[in-house]
Amino acid sequence: MKQSFRKILAGLIVLNLFFMISCQQNVTKKPNTETEKKVEDLLKQMTLEEKIGQMTQMCASTITLNGTKELDLDVDLIKKAIQEYHIGSFLSGTGSAQKWVKFLDAIQKIAINETRLKIPIIFGIDHVHGANYVDEGTFFPHNLTLSCSFDPQILTEGAKVTAKETAPLAMPWNFAPVLDVGKNPYWPRIYETFGEDPLVCGVLGTAFIKAYQECDAIEPYKLSACAKHFIAYSDPKSGYDRTPAEIPNQILFEQFLPPFEMAIKSGNVKTVMVNSGELNGEPVHASKWLLTDILRGQLGFQGVILTDIKDIMKIVEMHAGAATEKEATLMSINAGIDMYMACNSFDFCQYMKELVQEGKITEARINESVHRILTLKYELGLFENPLPDDTKIAQIGSKEHFNVAKKAAEESIVLLKNENILPLKNAKNIMLTGFAANSKKMLNGAWTLEWLGCEEERQPKDMNTIYTALQKEFKTANINLIEEPTQNSASIVKFISEAKKNDVIVITAGEQPYSEFKGNANDLELDENQLKMIEYAKSTKKPVILVLIEGRPRVITRIEKMVDAVIFAGHPGVGGADAIAGIISGRINPSGKLSFTYPLDVGHCVPYYHKFSEKYTALYPFGHGLSFSNFEYSNLTLSDTLITSENQEITATIDIKNTSNTDGKEVVLWYINDEFGTITRPVKQLKFFKKAMIKAGETKQFKFTIKPMRDLTYPDKNGKLILENGSFKVIVNQQEIRFWLKK
Ligand code: BGC
């Protein structure tokens, strides 16, 4: 009996060893590279505690005086974190460039001079719309606004500016871009997305990642982007942040996976952050299927998988998916996470150690994650260049960088309606009102020096508000800044009488900035007081220009017919006011188009890629956006109308003429409709887009090459691509043409 027990035990040990070796082999895929050797050497010298420390990320507020985000380092706390817990990563904070330099210099010096293995810290930051946690930083439009540019070049230029303003501070890891598909306007993070279309999210996100990770203007520094939040975060059933999503696998593969797939396969993104929510009943942080089978297996992602903030704890406290945090830790590690954004508790370190001691997690499994983390640190050059460089911070917030942000706003803001009022000519008295009329905070939005956006006094000094921008734009007119009326009748009478004295009324309306759950909404309609203000303005019979400053499309249907022009600016950043004023005056010809559907009604929000049996109701559809130029589309042709093999490509061409006297940019949106599908097909899907300048009177030809495997396939519920024979339509603007696939 004893004998056979020993045999079984020996067998188990051999099996375990085999498993450990095979795991080790799994992570030593590239044994010849220099980095690989360094990582292996280092890994061999590390204790279990040191390895677990590398897998732990703490908030900077854990190591500052009074636990604030303000970068006053508490030396005892940082030493405790680094020397006692071997913490390998920190995140967040806010302050001036000089203060960041001092802070990160001190942290890094303790890590590299006062620890046994001298492993540098990797610091993470949410620079999601420019260097938005640095006082002097250049704050770009938030992604929803930016995506209305439909221009990857804008993303590229913006990413480079952000890289230059972030790298010298020794912040190598940016938790951007958001690749969640923004198809649910109730979800309060929609302004962080590139809109509702998976292709647009993928193309723009990948442009950002490539430019950010490959920016050579920041040498000797190197940077990592982070594709977040994997996956299906953005369409919770209730619309509230971090609440359950119920999404069939087929839709998951067709609509939510593509941006991540592009980021990994074309953008080579180095890190991925996980969705805090639950999908079909499974907290994503505990989903081996999503993190290991899909992300690592199907998408081939080899980089670091980071949790979102405190999300192992949330498996217990938010999802009730495990009874204890230790159990949740085991679930997350088994699912595939590499690093825990623990934030302010060191418990993870303890649980991990116990789980290894209890034999529930193998050290081989830990080695896999630490291997990835150390590889990232080596790839980012942290062992050679760990320290910030204050000789390179003068460029932060430079005029040149500001101009890139301004251009981004100009290319992105969308003119939704214009009843012969814009460009505004000959107005002597312009009334300006509403919550964002003289505010910088509303333009920069949340994630600007503070999570919810910082107060007015801390906003950039050189930036215009809409008020100061209009004053500069209309030098000979009076810009009359009038307060919004309250519901008190005297104030309404005053508002109306002031309004009557003006030639035109510019109203800013929308929403205060918010982040995450702070923006949960029960009703998408614009606030009642703002709707009433627009009605009072209309009662004067003066022309009204409505400027929407908002994180998501607030429903304006009740008053839309009353106004003469509508401009969607979202959160347009430091150059936003200049761009808005420029569009009102006509100095800038608007060229943004909606990257999302502007809902007609609060209760019916469907994306443009709805099914045939669904009705599309939109106040302004996806792709809508006016220009001061006029574009005529003609001669849609196809090089062939029959495709007989999956490798055969055909080309569609269209002529677009600018029939106006004004040079203008047009965004050309190419859609395909697969007319019949075994899994029912959307009425149309964007497959290609291009933005280009067309001079007054000029005709330009645009092309779209249709590749069957890329453009005519769709995934089934297992993610397997299907290519079905049948008829398709290529659609551009109001034109369409049919072709067939017969393999
Ligand atoms: C957000 C992430 C962010 C993280 C760190 C979380 O609350 O969901 O997007 O990167 O905080 O600040």
Side-chain angles (χ1 to χ4, degrees):
M1 196 59 183
K2 259 189 191 162
Q3 193 68 9
S4 59
F5 176 70
R6 257 193 222 125
K7 266 189 190 162
I8 294 172
L9 195 70
L12 280 176
I13 291 169
V14 171
L15 208 73
N16 198 23
L17 264 175
F18 172 76
F19 176 66
M20 283 165 78
I21 291 165
S22 66
C23 284
Q24 295 277 16
Q25 277 171 349
N26 201 20
V27 291
T28 50
K29 261 188 240 143
K30 300 170 257 167
N32 295 328
T33 67
E34 220 179 294
T35 306
E36 182 61 30
K37 193 176 166 311
K38 287 181 188 163
V39 170
E40 281 299 316
D41 287 350
L42 190 51
L43 203 52
K44 276 190 208 127
Q45 300 172 52
M46 292 172 79
T47 63
L48 176 63
E49 289 82 354
E50 284 166 339
K51 289 176 188 172
I52 294 170
Q54 287 300 315
M55 295 174 70
T56 315
Q57 185 179 61
M58 302 299 291
C59 287
S61 53
T62 342
I63 51 167
T64 55
L65 299 171
N66 307 322
T68 71
K69 285 188 159 190
E70 274 145 36
L71 313 177
D72 298 309
L73 194 63
D74 181 323
V75 178
D76 292 337
L77 290 181
I78 175 77
K79 286 196 174 166
K80 178 176 162 201
I82 296 187
Q83 293 168 342
E84 205 175 303
Y85 290 99
H86 316 284
I87 299 303
S89 183
F90 290 90
L91 82 149
S92 285
T94 181
S96 67
Q98 207 49 272
K99 223 166 165 188
W100 271 114
V101 166
K102 199 169 153 226
F103 184 73
L104 288 171
D105 192 74
I107 295 182
Q108 210 56 300
K109 281 185 178 152
I110 292 170
I112 58 177
N113 297 330
E114 300 183 38
T115 60
R116 197 174 74 86
L117 294 173
K118 308 182 186 324
I119 304 175
I121 292 294
I122 179 167
F123 198 90
I125 192 84
D126 290 282
H127 276 175
V128 292
H129 71 121
N132 52 252
Y133 276 117
V134 184
D135 288 349
E136 302 86 341
T138 303
F139 311 145
F140 280 80
H142 273 284
N143 286 347
L144 189 65
T145 300
L146 264 188
S147 60
C148 295
S149 72
F150 282 86
D151 189 355
Q153 188 53 32
I154 296 290
L155 271 293
T156 300
E157 287 170 33
K160 285 186 182 159
V161 168
T162 308
K164 286 195 253 174
E165 297 193 349
T166 307
L169 302 173
M171 290 177 187
W173 196 0
N174 189 357
F175 304 141
V178 166
L179 294 184
D180 303 306
V181 175
K183 61 181 282 201
N184 182 346
Y186 277 90
W187 186 56
R189 303 191 71 170
I190 199 112
Y191 68 90
E192 297 183 56
T193 74
F194 294 112
E196 74 186 32
D197 182 74
L199 180 77
V200 176
C201 293
V203 170
L204 299 188
T206 302
F208 177 90
I209 292 164
K210 279 180 81 68
Y212 198 75
Q213 292 193 160
E214 293 165 20
C215 178
D216 45 21
I218 54 166
E219 273 176 16
Y221 296 104
K222 293 194 184 79
L223 298 172
S224 170
C226 180
K228 69 185 189 184
H229 308 79
F230 190 84
I231 187 175
Y233 183 20
S234 51
D235 194 13
K237 215 165 174 219
S238 75
Y240 276 18
D241 187 41
R242 289 177 162 88
T243 57
E246 293 170 15
I247 298 169
N249 290 352
Q250 197 279 325
I251 299 287
L252 183 76
F253 288 122
E254 183 160 4
Q255 297 175 7
F256 294 90
L257 204 67
F260 288 96
E261 183 163 16
M262 285 179 78
I264 291 162
K265 295 190 176 156
S266 324
N268 197 19
V269 71
K270 290 180 186 294
T271 70
V272 166
M273 189 189 293
V274 180
N275 160 19
S276 302
E278 60 183 73
L279 174 62
N280 303 331
E282 198 178 22
V284 179
H285 281 79
S287 173
K288 184 167 182 297
W289 180 62
L290 288 170
L291 302 186
T292 298
D293 301 351
I294 304 293
L295 180 56
R296 292 236 183 264
Q298 190 173 317
L299 302 189
F301 178 64
Q302 298 194 344
V304 171
I305 302 181
L306 171 70
T307 71
D308 200 342
I309 200 155
K310 302 182 192 176
D311 276 356
I312 292 184
M313 188 264 284
K314 284 183 197 145
I315 293 179
V316 182
E317 294 190 0
M318 195 172 83
H319 303 287
T324 65
E325 202 175 329
K326 185 165 157 187
E327 199 184 323
T329 303
L330 180 61
M331 288 162 88
S332 288
I333 295 292
N334 283 341
I337 70 116
D338 293 315
M339 191 186 282
Y340 182 34
M341 193 190 283
C343 188
N344 50 16
S345 159
F346 294 101
D347 290 350
F348 174 74
C349 302
Q350 182 59 28
Y351 299 143
M352 285 291 283
K353 204 170 143 189
E354 288 170 14
L355 288 164
V356 175
Q357 283 162 353
E358 289 161 18
K360 293 186 176 144
I361 295 177
T362 63
E363 201 157 341
R365 167 64 190 85
I366 291 195
N367 287 347
E368 280 182 33
S369 289
V370 180
H371 191 284
R372 292 188 194 107
I373 294 163
L374 293 177
T375 304
L376 177 66
K377 289 189 173 185
Y378 274 109
E379 279 180 3
L380 293 175
L382 284 173
F383 286 85
E384 295 89 50
N385 293 296
L387 300 178
D389 181 353
D390 64 359
T391 65
K392 294 206 171 111
I393 60 176
Q395 58 177 326
I396 301 179
S398 67
K399 188 78 195 148
E400 189 192 331
H401 292 180
F402 176 85
N403 285 339
V404 180
K406 195 163 77 171
K407 182 173 158 214
E410 290 172 3
E411 297 275 340
S412 304
I413 292 173
V414 193
L415 179 60
L416 294 173
K417 175 177 180 178
N418 184 19
E419 302 270 300
N420 303 320
I421 179 81
L422 300 180
L424 189 62
K425 299 286 173 220
N426 309 320
K428 287 271 165 292
N429 288 296
I430 301 173
M431 169 168 144
L432 173 67
T433 187
F435 81 123
N438 197 19
S439 164
K440 297 175 183 175
K441 178 176 177 179
M442 303 307 149
L443 302 177
N444 285 327
W447 302 97
T448 304
L449 301 175
E450 295 289 341
W451 184 53
L452 292 172
C454 71
E455 286 320 310
E456 218 54 47
E457 309 76 64
R458 220 181 139 196
Q459 295 284 342
K461 305 237 167 344
D462 299 336
M463 163 187 179
N464 278 315
T465 64
I466 297 176
Y467 178 51
T468 57
L470 283 176
Q471 284 177 321
K472 287 175 190 157
E473 194 76 37
F474 293 90
K475 289 210 171 61
T476 56
N478 300 313
I479 311 298
N480 300 314
L481 188 62
I482 303 296
E483 252 185 60
E484 290 173 83
T486 62
Q487 285 323 300
N488 159 314
S489 53
S491 116
I492 298 168
V493 170
K494 186 162 174 262
F495 178 84
I496 293 175
S497 83
E498 287 295 342
K500 281 185 180 156
K501 296 179 200 157
N502 288 274
D503 305 314
V504 59
I505 306 166
V506 179
I507 297 184
T508 63
E511 304 173 304
Q512 297 278 335
Y514 46 79
S515 289
E516 306 177 33
F517 66 94
K518 295 274 187 188
N520 286 347
N522 297 331
D523 186 349
L524 264 195
E525 186 158 55
L526 194 68
D527 165 69
E528 181 63 25
N529 288 342
Q530 298 192 7
L531 291 169
K532 284 211 174 107
M533 166 174 60
I534 295 162
E535 287 166 353
Y536 303 143
K538 172 68 188 169
S539 73
T540 65
K541 305 220 167 30
K542 301 283 178 180
V544 177
I545 300 166
L546 175 63
V547 181
L548 294 167
I549 306 293
E550 54 190 9
R552 62 192 145 202
R554 284 284 176 172
V555 172
I556 55 167
T557 308
R558 186 173 117 193
I559 49 81
E560 198 261 353
K561 296 246 171 331
M562 299 178 186
V563 301
D564 300 83
V566 182
I567 295 171
F568 170 78
H571 292 299
V574 286
D578 310 68
I580 292 165
I583 289 173
I584 294 177
S585 75
R587 176 176 55 80
I588 293 159
N589 188 0
S591 61
K593 300 229 183 194
L594 285 183
S595 63
F596 57 93
T597 300
Y598 210 106
L600 180 72
D601 298 301
V602 292
H604 194 244
C605 304
V606 265
Y608 83 84
Y609 45 86
H610 60 94
K611 297 294 177 85
F612 195 67
S613 55
E614 176 67 272
K615 197 167 177 243
Y616 187 54
T617 55
L619 178 63
Y620 307 114
F622 174 89
H624 173 73
L626 304 174
S627 160
F628 297 144
S629 309
N630 233 331
F631 300 109
E632 262 178 34
Y633 286 59
S634 63
N635 297 333
L636 174 61
T637 49
L638 274 174
S639 59
D640 207 332
T641 52
L642 181 64
I643 298 179
T644 52
S645 91
E646 61 178 48
N647 300 320
Q648 186 191 337
E649 296 175 4
I650 58 171
T651 302
T653 49
I654 185 94
D655 294 334
I656 305 178
K657 180 169 188 191
N658 181 346
T659 55
S660 71
N661 296 324
T662 314
D663 297 350
K665 285 187 177 165
E666 174 69 336
V667 177
V668 188
L669 301 169
W670 293 93
Y671 301 91
I672 282 189
N673 167 226
D674 179 348
E675 292 193 282
F676 307 94
T678 354
I679 295 170
T680 61
R681 302 289 68 225
V683 290
K684 60 180 184 177
Q685 281 173 300
L686 188 70
K687 294 291 176 179
F688 181 61
F689 57 91
K690 175 119 192 115
K691 185 172 192 173
M693 165 64 81
I694 310 178
K695 297 240 182 263
E698 187 191 4
T699 301
K700 257 196 183 156
Q701 192 177 66
F702 290 81
K703 280 190 175 40
F704 163 41
T705 299
I706 300 164
K707 299 183 178 184
M709 287 311 288
R710 186 191 63 187
D711 302 317
L712 308 181
T713 55
Y714 62 90
D716 68 9
K717 62 179 189 295
N718 299 312
K720 194 172 158 286
L721 287 184
I722 303 175
L723 181 65
E724 287 180 323
N725 280 344
S727 61
F728 296 81
K729 281 190 291 193
V730 54
I731 304 164
V732 57
N733 200 267
Q734 303 301 325
Q735 314 233 340
E736 54 181 59
I737 188 166
R738 186 169 278 122
F739 63 96
W740 286 263
L741 172 73
K742 277 189 199 144
K743 303 175 263 130

